Amino acid sequence: MERKIGESVRGRFLHVENVQPRRADPSGPEHNDRIAPEPGFSPAQYRTLGLLYALASARAGTWMIPAFHANIDRGIPAAHDDPQNFDLAAFDEAVAKWLRKLRAGNGAR
Ligand SMILES: [Zn+2]
């Protein structure tokens, strides 16, 4: 697997960290945050993330490729494991709603 980090990828990522309250797993190491809530994120978070994705993609001139932090960090010791319990269907629906809304507003006035 090729891994590119640092200056060579500056400007090629839009990094979003969603707020997610976590609890410690008693069977894990001290001060861990392994247990995420279910559902993992609120409707407002999907709505905001969907708008951000649509606008960032419009600015980039192409649909950006969404990736989970856990996958980007794979292989890094003590890497991020988020987003846990992310609902891809909810994100997809949020993006679709924004696209309908943004397209309807385009030229409607
Ligand atoms: Zn993260």
Side-chain angles (χ1 to χ4, degrees):
M1 178 179 106
E2 182 181 11
R3 174 175 300 282
K4 291 184 177 183
I5 58 175
E7 285 300 317
S8 68
V9 296
R10 185 179 292 275
R12 299 186 65 202
F13 285 91
L14 179 63
H15 183 145
V16 176
E17 291 284 352
N18 293 292
V19 173
Q20 182 178 57
R22 298 274 195 99
R23 291 184 301 119
D25 179 348
S27 66
E30 206 174 353
H31 305 299
N32 76 75
D33 63 350
R34 290 181 175 171
I35 301 176
E38 288 192 48
F41 299 95
S42 70
Q45 286 176 297
Y46 288 112
R47 189 170 54 249
T48 304
L49 194 59
L51 178 60
L52 176 65
Y53 176 68
L55 295 178
S57 293
R59 185 176 177 186
T62 187
W63 286 109
M64 298 178 79
I65 301 170
F68 290 152
H69 200 166
N71 296 100
I72 299 297
D73 278 8
R74 192 174 302 276
I76 297 174
H80 286 221
D81 65 352
D82 56 287
Q84 286 188 25
N85 303 326
F86 190 87
D87 184 345
L88 271 175
F91 174 67
D92 180 62
E93 183 54 34
V95 172
K97 280 183 184 173
W98 278 115
L99 290 182
R100 285 192 296 271
K101 192 176 239 181
L102 293 167
R103 286 175 176 151
N106 195 9
R109 283 176 236 177

